[in-house]
Amino acid sequence: MKDITTNTNLLDAIPMTWNLLPFMKYVTDHSDYRGKTPDKKDHGIFLLTAKNVRMGYINYDSSQEYIAVEDYEEVMRRGRPKVGDILFTTEAPLGNVALVDDEKVAMAQRIIRFRMKKSHFDSKFTLYAMISNHFQNQLKTLSTGSTAEGLKASKLNALKIICPPLSKQVKIATYLDLKTMELDQLIEAKQHLLKLLDEKKRALIARAVTRGLNPDAPLKDSGISWLGMIPAHWEIERTKWLLPEIDERSETGEEDLLSVSHLTGVTLRSEKEVNMFMAESLEGYKKCKAGDLVINTLWAWMGAMGVSPVDGIISPAYNVYRPVSTIDSDFLDLLVRTPDFVSEITRYSKGVWSSRLRLYPEGLYETYLPVPPLSEQKEIVVEINKQLNQFKELKSITEKTITLLQERRTTLISAAVTGKLSEEVLNNAA
């Protein structure tokens, strides 16, 4: 099979009988749904957003939003989808593509719908061609934006797409359907393993900080619903006596600024990618020391709290608590970030809506904590950290495997749609 060199530096060569065509010239119908966000409802017609469009498929679970049935005609006035149409995300993320599999859906912002000329393009092959490195590299070259890559409508005419004969497109698409399904199953299995590891990690921590390390230790009823039975030699103390509030303010605002989230606890803001507005001066921000408990008042119901590993300053809207000498800070960090404790403090948060709950000191002080002997607290921390390191190593190996499988998937698609696979390979997959 002879190859022909193309006129773009994004692709080396394609077979002689193939073409590299202007993408938009072979689009028979398209709708750009960018613009005003439609009014969303709790039920009605499903609204596909950019979050739903993944690389090669639609995930209906990643975002579940709806519009009213009576609003459908107005929302979709730019054009209704048909099964087989291609959905393309223009930003956040840029370049995800999927085929429409249900016509009774509405489209949200950051999505363009394409319908290709059937005389030249098979829709499934087009999907794979748009996933390929050749097409995605064009998007990166043509995109604009510093915080989030986006593609302007005016740039669509610059896109090129590979076009083999139709019979070859169908054969390639059939081959890729089979092979990508096999790889996707492997990826899904590894992702499931990550979820199991995370669940096991949470269960390990929760049991250790409420039951200790000795499974044979005599137990007693704590009298606290979220704790249940605890080791008989442990104490129960109200947080009011364990965590006095501290309100010390920065005079200069020059200390390290800290961030508090439900995912990472307390970390240096400089170590995180945060695009939120920052005040011109941090003077008057609350100071905290290494070992202090910091609670994000607004997001405490999600678990946004933790013990600070360093000295620094935090938002004046947050609360700082300094553990008494009977509480080990590392033990406290593990304890307050357990799902059961987060559920407990949520009971005492104030607000009408769950997403607007606030945890103030008086709410926190309604809760109780288990207090093992200090030496035992330290033993629990050492053992948990030891096991967490093992989890971390296994997680890292699994994530690397997922990355390799995803790269293999992309490489396979790119090789197939650029004619790098032999006829024998394509036929063997049939």
Side-chain angles (χ1 to χ4, degrees):
M1 178 187 295
K2 289 186 177 181
D3 289 350
I4 181 171
T5 301
T6 66
N7 60 354
T8 172
N9 59 3
L10 298 174
L11 183 65
D12 294 330
I14 56 175
M16 185 71 70
T17 56
W18 294 24
N19 293 302
L20 188 65
L21 303 176
F23 176 72
M24 290 302 295
K25 185 176 180 180
Y26 292 87
V27 173
T28 61
D29 181 52
H30 82 283
S31 300
D32 190 333
Y33 299 103
R34 288 178 287 189
K36 182 180 178 182
T37 302
D39 293 331
K40 299 173 184 178
K41 306 296 181 181
D42 294 331
H43 55 83
I45 295 178
F46 195 95
L47 181 67
L48 277 177
T49 71
K51 294 179 182 178
N52 297 114
V53 182
R54 300 299 178 87
M55 192 59 88
Y57 66 99
I58 296 174
N59 185 332
Y60 289 95
D61 295 326
S62 58
S63 176
Q64 296 184 335
E65 300 178 355
Y66 302 86
I67 63 168
V69 175
E70 56 269 24
D71 293 340
Y72 181 74
E73 294 297 333
E74 173 62 22
V75 172
M76 298 303 292
R77 70 186 186 281
R78 300 179 184 178
R80 296 186 183 184
K82 288 186 177 181
V83 172
D85 286 354
I86 295 171
L87 301 180
F88 171 85
T89 59
T90 58
E91 62 177 312
L94 168 64
N96 277 6
V97 290
L99 294 182
V100 174
D101 55 12
D102 185 352
E103 295 182 0
K104 200 59 176 178
V105 292
M107 305 295 171
Q109 292 190 43
R110 307 200 310 273
I111 293 178
I112 300 179
R113 177 187 58 83
F114 297 111
R115 188 175 302 154
M116 308 301 291
K117 280 187 179 180
K118 292 184 179 180
S119 60
H120 286 76
F121 285 97
D122 171 77
S123 59
K124 184 61 74 69
F125 173 84
T126 306
L127 175 80
Y128 287 123
M130 294 175 73
I131 292 174
S132 72
N133 287 332
H134 167 245
F135 197 88
Q136 292 293 317
N137 286 340
Q138 292 181 77
L139 297 178
K140 292 178 181 178
T141 300
L142 297 170
S143 65
T144 57
S146 55
T147 57
E149 287 185 324
L151 188 71
K152 296 179 179 179
S154 60
K155 298 292 186 180
L156 291 174
N157 289 324
L159 293 170
K160 305 285 187 180
I161 189 167
I162 299 167
C163 180
L166 266 177
S167 58
K168 177 70 72 172
Q169 291 184 35
V170 173
K171 184 173 290 187
I172 290 173
T174 301
Y175 169 82
L176 289 176
D177 280 348
L178 176 63
K179 294 302 180 181
T180 57
M181 181 181 68
E182 293 173 354
L183 289 170
D184 288 342
Q185 289 173 344
L186 291 173
I187 293 171
E188 185 177 354
K190 295 298 181 181
Q191 290 173 334
H192 181 62
L193 175 59
L194 289 178
K195 291 180 180 179
L196 292 178
L197 286 173
D198 193 50
E199 291 172 2
K200 189 173 182 179
K201 181 179 72 173
R202 288 198 301 267
L204 166 71
I205 295 172
R207 182 170 182 82
V209 297
T210 58
R211 288 289 185 93
L213 302 176
N214 181 7
D216 300 321
L219 302 177
K220 67 179 179 182
D221 187 351
S222 67
I224 307 300
S225 58
W226 78 273
L227 284 174
M229 304 296 288
I230 63 172
H233 64 287
W234 287 21
E235 300 293 336
I236 295 292
E237 293 284 354
R238 194 170 177 178
T239 51
K240 183 175 184 179
W241 315 122
L242 297 173
L243 302 171
E245 185 184 9
I246 302 297
D247 189 357
E248 300 173 351
R249 303 296 176 124
S250 171
E251 296 180 359
T252 63
E254 296 178 355
E255 297 88 344
D256 288 329
L257 180 60
L258 305 177
S259 176
V260 187
S261 82
H262 68 289
L263 296 175
T264 56
V266 183
T267 55
L268 288 168
R269 170 115 173 198
S270 59
E271 295 178 353
K272 302 185 70 174
E273 292 185 9
V274 181
N275 297 319
M276 296 176 64
F277 169 79
M278 281 188 62
E280 291 185 6
S281 172
L282 303 183
E283 182 181 341
Y285 270 48
K286 290 183 179 178
K287 296 170 65 176
C288 72
K289 293 183 178 181
D292 286 350
L293 172 66
V294 182
I295 297 181
N296 183 327
T297 310
L298 179 62
W299 299 109
W301 63 274
M302 286 187 65
M305 64 187 76
V307 170
S308 178
V310 295
D311 294 352
I313 53 175
I314 50 101
S315 167
Y318 298 172
N319 294 103
V320 181
Y321 305 89
R322 188 157 295 158
V324 298
S325 60
T326 55
I327 289 289
D328 178 78
S329 293
D330 293 328
F331 176 81
L332 179 65
D333 188 58
L334 294 171
L335 180 60
V336 300
R337 297 181 64 193
T338 60
D340 286 342
F341 180 77
V342 173
S343 296
E344 177 70 1
I345 58 98
T346 301
R347 292 175 53 205
Y348 300 104
S349 297
K350 293 184 178 181
V352 178
W353 305 102
S354 60
S355 60
R356 293 292 183 268
L357 292 175
R358 306 287 193 275
L359 179 66
Y360 299 109
E362 58 268 27
L364 176 67
Y365 287 159
E366 291 294 326
T367 65
Y368 290 78
L369 295 179
V371 184
L374 191 58
S375 60
E376 190 173 348
Q377 293 179 41
K378 295 180 181 297
E379 290 174 2
I380 290 172
V381 170
V382 170
E383 180 59 27
I384 288 181
N385 285 337
K386 177 182 176 181
Q387 296 196 41
L388 290 183
N389 285 334
Q390 295 174 353
F391 279 114
K392 185 177 181 180
E393 183 177 354
L394 184 53
K395 180 181 179 181
S396 177
I397 293 172
T398 305
E399 288 175 337
K400 287 179 181 178
T401 302
I402 291 174
T403 299
L404 290 173
L405 288 169
Q406 291 172 333
E407 290 175 351
R408 181 179 175 186
R409 187 183 192 275
T410 302
T411 300
L412 180 66
I413 291 173
S414 297
V417 302
T418 56
K420 300 300 187 295
L421 301 183
S422 68
E423 193 73 19
E424 180 180 2
V425 170
L426 296 177
N427 289 335
N428 288 339

